[in-house]
C-alpha cells in the first residue's frame, strides 16, 4: 500500500495505470482451484499483481508457502510477504518489498499443517503458534482518501488441520484460513477493492482463497 500527497497531472492529459489482480490461491492436491474458479498455473499459489498510477506503484502481495510440491515452503516476498508453509519445521514468512509505502513480513509456519499469517499494510503476519493454530493475518492500514476512514491491505490467516477455523484475517479485507480434511472448509477470499490477502488451506475441497484486487483512489 502506498499513499502520496500529490502527483502532477496536465489538464486534458492522461495518466497510465493498472488495477492489480489479487493472487490466485493454491489448489488442493485433489485438483481444486481457488474459489474464483481461476486455476493456479503450475498448481501453486501466484502472487498479486502490482497496482499502478503513473510512476506510483503498490506492489502485489507475496504468495504463501506450500506444505510440499513445486511451491517453495517459505512465504514469498511481496508488497507484504506471504505466510510461511507447514513443512519441515518453522518455515519463514516472506519479506515486505513495498518501499516507499506500507508493507510487513509474513509469519512463520509450523511443521504440523499450520501456516503463518500473511503480512498486512499495518502490521506483520503472526507465526503459527502450534500444530493446530494458524497464524493470524497482519492488520491493514486505515486511510481517509475516499472521504471516510477505510482499512486496506489486511493479511490473510494461515490454515490449520484441527477442524475449527483459525484466527481471522487482518482488518482490511484479509481472508481467514481453511481447516483440514476432506470435509473441511477452504480459505476465504480477500476483499476486492481493498487488496486483502486470500486465506490459506490444508487440503479441504474449497481450495485456498484468492487475494482481493487492488484500488486507486484520487483526491483533488
Amino acid at each position: 500500500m502506498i499513499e502520496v500527497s500529490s502527483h502532477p497531472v496536465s489538464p486534458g492529459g492522461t495518466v497510465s495505470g493498472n488495477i492489480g489482480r489479487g493472487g490466485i490461491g493454491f489448489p488442493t492436491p485433489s485438483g481444486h482451484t481457488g474459489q474464483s474458479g481461476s486455476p493456479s498455473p503450475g498448481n501453486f499459489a501466484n502472487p498479486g499483481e502490482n497496482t499502478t498510477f503513473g510512476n506510483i506503484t503498490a506492489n502485489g502481495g507475496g504468495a504463501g508457502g506450500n506444505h510440499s510440491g513445486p511451491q517453495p515452503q517459505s512465504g514469498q516476498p511481496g508488497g507484504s510477504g506471504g505466510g510461511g508453509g507447514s513443512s519441515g519445521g518453522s518455515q519463514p514468512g516472506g519479506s515486505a518489498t513495498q518501499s516507499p509505502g506500507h508493507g510487513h513480513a509474513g509469519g512463520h509456519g509450523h511443521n504440523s499443517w499450520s501456516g503463518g499469517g500473511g503480512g498486512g499494510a499495518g502490521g506483520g503476519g503472526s507465526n503459527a503458534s502450534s500444530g493446530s493454530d494458524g497464524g493470524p493475518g497482519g492488520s491493514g492500514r486505515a486511510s481517509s482518501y475516499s472521504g471516510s476512514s477505510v482499512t486496506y491491505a489486511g493479511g490473510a490467516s494461515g490454515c490449520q488441520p484441527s477442524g475449527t477455523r483459525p484466527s481471522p484475517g487482518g482488518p482490511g479485507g484479509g481472508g481467514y484460513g481453511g481447516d483440514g480434511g476432506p470435509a473441511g472448509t477452504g480459505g476465504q477470499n480477500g476483499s476486492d477493492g481493498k487488496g486483502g490477502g486470500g486465506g490459506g488451506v490444508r487440503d479441504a475441497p474449497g481450495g485456498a482463497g484468492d487475494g482481493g484486487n487492488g484500488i486507486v483512489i484520487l483526491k483533488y
Side-chain angles (χ1 to χ4, degrees):
M1 177 179 174
I2 185 169
E3 300 169 279
V4 297
S5 59
S6 64
H7 186 278
V9 296
S10 299
T14 61
V15 179
S16 63
N18 175 68
I19 301 298
R21 170 193 54 76
I24 299 175
F26 178 77
T28 64
S30 57
H32 295 274
T33 64
Q35 290 179 317
S36 69
S38 301
S40 174
N43 286 338
F44 52 85
N46 281 358
E49 294 178 343
N50 295 347
T51 293
T52 61
F53 180 79
N55 61 359
I56 302 169
T57 300
N59 294 340
N66 192 11
H67 178 76
S68 60
Q71 175 90 349
Q73 280 77 56
S74 57
Q76 299 301 291
S80 284
S86 57
S87 176
S90 180
Q91 295 294 332
S95 61
T97 62
Q98 185 66 52
S99 179
H102 311 287
H104 293 81
H108 288 226
H110 191 275
N111 63 0
S112 298
W113 298 101
S114 295
S126 296
N127 298 337
S129 60
S130 72
S132 61
D133 295 318
S139 62
R141 179 177 173 86
S143 170
S144 297
Y145 272 39
S146 66
S148 60
S149 181
V150 178
T151 302
Y152 299 95
S157 67
C159 67
Q160 69 177 26
S162 65
T164 58
R165 289 201 186 282
S167 300
Y176 54 72
D179 55 11
T185 57
Q188 184 187 36
N189 291 340
S191 296
D192 282 338
K194 291 186 175 181
V201 72
R202 175 190 166 188
D203 56 3
D210 296 333
N213 297 336
I215 189 172
V216 172
I217 297 174
L218 306 178
K219 185 176 181 179
Y220 60 94

